[in-house]
Amino acid sequence: MAKVIGKKVLSLVLPVTGGKKINLQDCKGQSVVLYFYPKDDTPGCTKEGQDFTSFYSKIQKLNTKVFGVSKDSINSHEKFKSKYKYKFDLISDEEEKLCKFFDVIKEKNMYGRKFLGIDRSTFIIDEKGFIIKEWRKVKVDGHAQEVLDYLKTL
């Protein structure tokens, strides 16, 4: 597993919902919660997005943005965000550049079939663009609360 704590976030422009583009290095002055999830509109990923949405106003009050990231297309993200009324943007990383930087692509096994996919993970990027916290192999239940609790300590 690549060490990312203490690294400056990658300078990379990616498409986000709402017809925008983002470079995470441009978020200086605010903290960022960057959570990686496997697939739009699947049960665990939906619940995780709903949990972050329920805490979104509290997270915003801590001068922090939230972005969900997966390999799904921007069109898929738009539908997913709209369907569940997420209050934050989703980043499309179809080429896996951000995923590879954060080392979240892992071999998975489903029904005996092995494939590479996103390992549910969350990272905190500080106001200066440095990665200061990571959660790997995230379990959805209680995770958004844990992230909020951590942000309150900053």
Side-chain angles (χ1 to χ4, degrees):
M1 185 177 327
K3 180 174 170 23
V4 296
I5 298 295
K7 281 188 177 180
K8 192 165 199 83
V9 73
L10 182 66
S11 179
L12 177 65
V13 177
L14 290 168
V16 297
T17 46
K20 302 173 281 194
K21 300 231 181 242
I22 187 162
N23 183 341
L24 292 170
Q25 283 194 350
D26 294 340
C27 294
K28 289 185 181 157
Q30 286 187 298
S31 296
V32 174
V33 172
L34 193 65
Y35 79 91
F36 291 83
Y37 64 94
K39 187 108 180 92
D40 287 348
D41 216 359
T42 55
C45 300
T46 299
K47 171 101 171 68
E48 187 173 25
Q50 290 170 327
D51 290 351
F52 275 113
T53 291
S54 71
F55 289 114
Y56 187 68
S57 61
K58 291 178 182 179
I59 292 171
Q60 270 191 312
K61 288 177 184 170
L62 297 171
N63 193 34
T64 303
K65 291 183 174 188
V66 175
F67 295 102
V69 184
S70 82
K71 299 186 301 181
D72 294 298
S73 70
I74 203 67
N75 186 41
S76 175
H77 278 350
E78 293 290 2
K79 290 176 187 171
F80 185 45
K81 180 182 175 183
S82 175
K83 182 177 180 179
Y84 295 103
K85 298 176 176 50
Y86 295 153
K87 297 179 181 177
F88 50 87
D89 284 315
L90 302 176
I91 298 173
S92 176
D93 188 24
E94 289 184 275
E95 295 177 6
E96 300 179 2
K97 290 179 180 177
L98 200 57
C99 290
K100 286 178 180 168
F101 175 80
F102 281 92
D103 193 27
V104 297
I105 302 292
K106 302 294 177 197
E107 185 177 271
K108 297 182 163 208
N109 189 344
M110 187 178 295
Y111 308 115
R113 186 179 72 94
K114 292 186 180 191
F115 63 97
L116 292 177
I118 292 178
D119 191 30
R120 194 180 308 278
S121 306
T122 302
F123 302 87
I124 305 292
I125 302 165
D126 72 9
E127 294 95 351
K128 295 177 183 168
F130 289 92
I131 303 157
I132 60 168
K133 178 72 175 164
E134 67 181 356
W135 288 267
R136 304 274 185 172
K137 299 187 184 309
V138 166
K139 302 291 181 227
V140 172
D141 288 339
H143 178 62
Q145 178 68 59
E146 185 180 0
V147 171
L148 176 62
D149 291 345
Y150 177 80
L151 290 168
K152 288 177 180 178
T153 70
L154 299 179

